[in-house]
Amino acid sequence: MGALATFLSGCANKFRTYRGPEVTRLRVYKSQRMIVLDGTEGVLRTFPMGLGFAPEGHKQFEGDGRTPEGSYVIDRRNPDSLFHLSIGISYPNEADIAFAKAQGRSPGGDIFIHGGPRPGVDPKDKRDWTAGCISVTDREIEDIYAMVSDGTPIEIYA
């Protein structure tokens, strides 16, 4: 009985191990709702995704519900995320900050790729449910979390 409990607890671990080729870049295609993980010799994996609740256009201001577009890097990870696991995107960059400041507004921040959904939201009813983040399933974020290192470039396209 104890061996079975140990085995099952190992299956429930959200931290996966990845021993494949290095992920050298992430590409996010907002209109196609797709994340592509690239290695030195081509595409390693693709994942379907959801976006912010206002998916059209580049994120400009805190609370606009948009997902950023442009060149960023993966800059942090959160193993204790409210959304299972998450990896951070370096939004806002200097240009994002300058634009928002010129408008007298905050650019916002805390943009992540994460699992989900948040409590009370059924992603089957609304695919684009985040406040500007990129969402995948819990199983998919486990794979992405294991595969992608901090410092990896991410390009987000309209």
Side-chain angles (χ1 to χ4, degrees):
M1 191 67 142
L4 178 61
T6 302
F7 173 77
L8 291 176
S9 69
C11 292
N13 188 353
K14 65 183 179 180
F15 299 104
R16 302 199 177 281
T17 301
Y18 175 71
R19 292 186 178 92
E22 177 186 8
V23 174
T24 58
R25 174 180 67 162
L26 287 82
R27 290 180 285 140
V28 173
Y29 295 96
K30 290 172 55 175
S31 64
Q32 296 174 351
R33 303 301 191 278
M34 182 173 55
I35 301 172
V36 178
L37 277 59
D38 290 321
T40 56
E41 296 187 21
V43 175
L44 299 173
R45 292 279 304 271
T46 62
F47 299 93
M49 62 169 202
L51 298 168
F53 62 81
E56 301 295 320
H58 173 59
K59 180 166 194 62
Q60 296 177 319
F61 307 115
E62 183 174 7
D64 65 10
R66 293 180 176 165
T67 302
E69 296 170 1
S71 299
Y72 300 94
V73 297
I74 300 302
D75 66 351
R76 62 200 181 280
R77 47 195 60 242
N78 183 357
D80 300 316
S81 173
L82 293 175
F83 305 103
H84 193 59
L85 291 170
S86 61
I87 58 173
I89 298 172
S90 64
Y91 176 88
N93 62 26
E94 289 181 17
D96 298 321
I97 293 167
F99 177 81
K101 185 176 179 181
Q103 307 299 312
R105 310 234 350 237
S106 166
D110 285 337
I111 302 297
F112 289 86
I113 300 172
H114 61 67
R118 66 183 179 204
V121 174
D122 183 351
K124 293 175 190 150
D125 293 336
K126 187 173 182 186
R127 174 173 53 178
D128 298 327
W129 58 270
T130 75
C133 294
I134 297 166
S135 66
V136 294
T137 68
D138 288 351
R139 173 60 195 223
E140 291 165 344
I141 192 58
E142 289 172 3
D143 291 344
I144 294 168
Y145 194 93
M147 294 175 75
V148 176
S149 300
D150 289 357
T152 303
I154 179 170
E155 301 288 333
I156 306 172
Y157 303 100

